[in-house]
Amino acid sequence: MKYLSSVILTLFCIVCLTSCFKDEPLNAECDIETAWVHSDNPESMFFNLSDSLINVKSDVSEIMFDVKSGTDLTNLAPMFTVTGGATITPGSGSAHDFSDGKTVTYTVKSQDGAWSRKYVVGFRIIKRTKEDIVMFDFENFRLNEGGKYYEWFDINEDGTEAKNWATGNPGFMIAMGSATADNYPTTPVTDGGLDGAAVRMETKSTGAWGATAGKRIAAGNLFFGEFDFKYVLTETLKSTRFGLRFDKKPINFSGYYKYTPGEKFQDQYGQIINGRTDRAAIYSVLYRNHDEAGNPLVLHGDNVLSSEQIVAIARIPYVAPTTEWTKFDVDFNYIKELDEELLYNYGYNLAIVFSSSDEGDHFEGAVGSELMIDKVRVTCTITE
């Protein structure tokens, strides 16, 4: 392994030195990096001023601006920054009609002309719901665009998809790219739920790659938020973006689970810790999604339970092992006062997190630990 690492390092150095004697190649990237919309009266259009700008993740091809009900969408001109040298068609700043759910497809072509990528851009009117219980039954899932792993989504009241659930499956693909979708850490259970589908999360070994990279396990997880692929290798805890904005006051968190811990708990170095049993994680967090300066933020794996932005937490202190569907039920503990005006303007995010290994974010746990989840409910009060 040391010899292989030396060879790789030597080849890398040769490539770097060789590039010093060559002309700079044309850029082959074709990504939209940021998208924004100008408005003379942004307060009437957006819930937060920061909603007018979107930092586009590298693995998404749909860009949606969330706007208030009543916004005139008939003549809007989104603007974009793209990777160096790339071109975009239609042009950045060109006006289009986005009313009645219309979208515009933009094509970005790389500087060298060899690559192109399409993005669908639109505007989503956020409508408030009167429901005081938000229900998640996990009946909607599919293979990702590349057919490698499963992903989950809910259906909005208007019939559109809410891309609100994420997993660490994209990160597992780096380590175990040859694995079939059913052997990824987070998979559907099509006929084993309470009355339909459920979600299975299993802690997996990441094989030889994981041992070399110091990331020996991958906990199965499911969370309300987004997974940012670009941080997987550099700042792993930043890849989990926990929480989506929420306009109701949550008071109770409940659902059903099964949990079986794996046989051998190991630390991040792969050493077996005798006498230690793996534990699952089930919790929900409500937090302010802007800092004191008005900058948008999300919580990550390194601060989702410790950030000063947190207003309330509902956490199952101990997920007892059980092979039968067992109900969990816990109230939100408010540690800070809720700002009703901020709540009305979507100034809070709600995070929901499930993991088969509580210390999986530090690559500690037991291979084979399995957590199953179904029929999750967040009971809320709504301020009119």
Side-chain angles (χ1 to χ4, degrees):
M1 183 61 68
K2 290 183 178 179
Y3 172 76
L4 178 59
S5 299
S6 299
V7 171
I8 293 174
L9 179 61
T10 301
L11 291 173
F12 175 76
C13 293
I14 292 172
V15 171
C16 292
L17 289 171
T18 304
S19 66
C20 295
F21 300 99
K22 293 181 179 180
D23 293 334
E24 185 71 22
L26 295 176
N27 198 335
E29 296 182 356
C30 49
D31 300 324
I32 292 178
E33 296 178 335
T34 58
W36 72 97
V37 177
H38 170 75
S39 173
D40 292 331
N41 187 17
E43 291 84 0
S44 66
M45 183 175 182
F46 299 103
F47 290 100
N48 296 283
L49 295 181
S50 59
D51 293 343
S52 64
L53 184 145
I54 297 175
N55 291 308
V56 182
K57 296 194 304 172
S58 60
D59 60 340
V60 304
S61 56
E62 182 182 75
I63 302 171
M64 286 288 167
F65 291 92
D66 291 338
V67 297
K68 292 181 177 180
S69 180
T71 300
D72 182 3
L73 302 177
T74 58
N75 188 38
L76 295 178
M79 291 175 281
F80 310 94
T81 57
V82 296
T83 46
T87 57
I88 185 169
T89 306
S92 175
S94 58
H96 304 275
D97 180 6
F98 290 94
S99 64
D100 301 321
K102 298 185 185 74
T103 60
V104 175
T105 299
Y106 291 79
T107 301
V108 182
K109 182 173 290 188
S110 62
Q111 184 181 25
D112 65 5
W115 304 94
S116 65
R117 184 177 179 184
K118 294 184 182 297
Y119 290 84
V120 175
V121 178
F123 289 76
R124 181 170 47 214
I125 295 176
I126 300 300
K127 297 180 180 179
R128 299 185 184 281
T129 177
K130 297 299 181 182
E131 298 295 331
D132 60 354
I133 300 179
V134 184
M135 300 183 290
F136 305 109
D137 291 334
F138 310 112
E139 300 294 331
N140 302 300
F141 55 88
R142 63 181 168 218
L143 290 173
N144 76 313
E145 186 175 347
K148 296 295 296 182
Y149 53 82
Y150 289 97
E151 55 187 17
W152 281 258
F153 59 95
D154 289 316
I155 302 297
N156 295 316
E157 292 180 354
D158 62 0
T160 59
E161 290 185 8
K163 298 180 179 179
N164 48 359
W165 292 101
T167 73
N169 281 346
F172 186 75
M173 183 174 60
I174 296 177
M176 305 292 283
S178 62
T180 62
D182 289 330
N183 286 310
Y184 270 68
T186 307
T187 57
V189 178
T190 57
D191 57 359
L194 286 168
D195 60 0
V199 182
R200 176 192 287 117
M201 290 153 273
E202 182 180 350
T203 302
K204 298 281 190 177
S205 168
T206 53
W209 180 92
T212 303
K215 300 173 172 61
R216 290 173 171 79
I217 67 164
N221 60 19
L222 179 75
F223 57 93
F224 207 51
E226 297 178 326
F227 186 88
D228 196 340
F229 189 82
K230 69 181 178 182
Y231 291 108
V232 170
L233 296 177
T234 55
E235 300 177 82
T236 307
L237 295 182
K238 296 294 184 185
S239 62
T240 48
R241 297 169 57 86
F242 293 124
L244 297 173
R245 59 189 184 181
F246 206 65
D247 69 334
K248 292 171 281 293
K249 179 181 179 179
I251 57 175
N252 182 266
F253 178 47
S254 65
Y256 291 85
Y257 80 95
K258 294 181 182 180
Y259 183 58
T260 302
E263 294 183 0
K264 297 179 179 180
F265 187 97
Q266 65 180 49
D267 64 16
Q268 61 181 316
Y269 306 106
Q271 301 297 315
I272 303 301
I273 308 299
N274 293 321
R276 184 169 177 182
T277 303
D278 205 0
R279 296 168 66 117
I282 298 176
Y283 60 87
S284 182
V285 174
L286 184 74
Y287 67 91
R288 296 177 73 129
N289 56 29
H290 286 72
D291 62 21
E292 294 299 327
N295 300 309
L297 58 81
V298 295
L299 300 188
H300 303 282
D302 56 354
N303 66 351
V304 67
L305 290 171
S306 61
S307 171
E308 289 295 322
Q309 300 291 120
I310 294 174
V311 174
I313 298 177
R315 187 179 189 184
I316 312 303
Y318 174 60
V319 182
T322 174
T323 57
E324 301 294 331
W325 283 111
T326 302
K327 187 173 184 179
F328 65 86
D329 190 313
V330 62
D331 290 337
F332 278 83
N333 175 33
Y334 278 78
I335 56 180
K336 291 184 180 179
E337 185 177 354
L338 191 73
D339 184 322
E340 298 288 355
E341 182 178 356
L342 198 63
L343 183 68
Y344 183 80
N345 286 294
Y346 288 96
Y348 292 95
N349 278 11
L350 182 72
I352 302 173
V353 181
F354 305 103
S355 176
S356 57
S357 293
D358 191 26
E359 295 295 326
D361 52 347
H362 299 294
F363 306 103
E364 296 188 343
V367 173
S369 291
E370 182 183 271
L371 174 67
M372 294 175 61
I373 291 291
D374 199 5
K375 292 198 172 301
V376 172
R377 305 290 185 261
V378 179
T379 303
C380 308
T381 59
I382 303 174
T383 300
E384 297 293 342

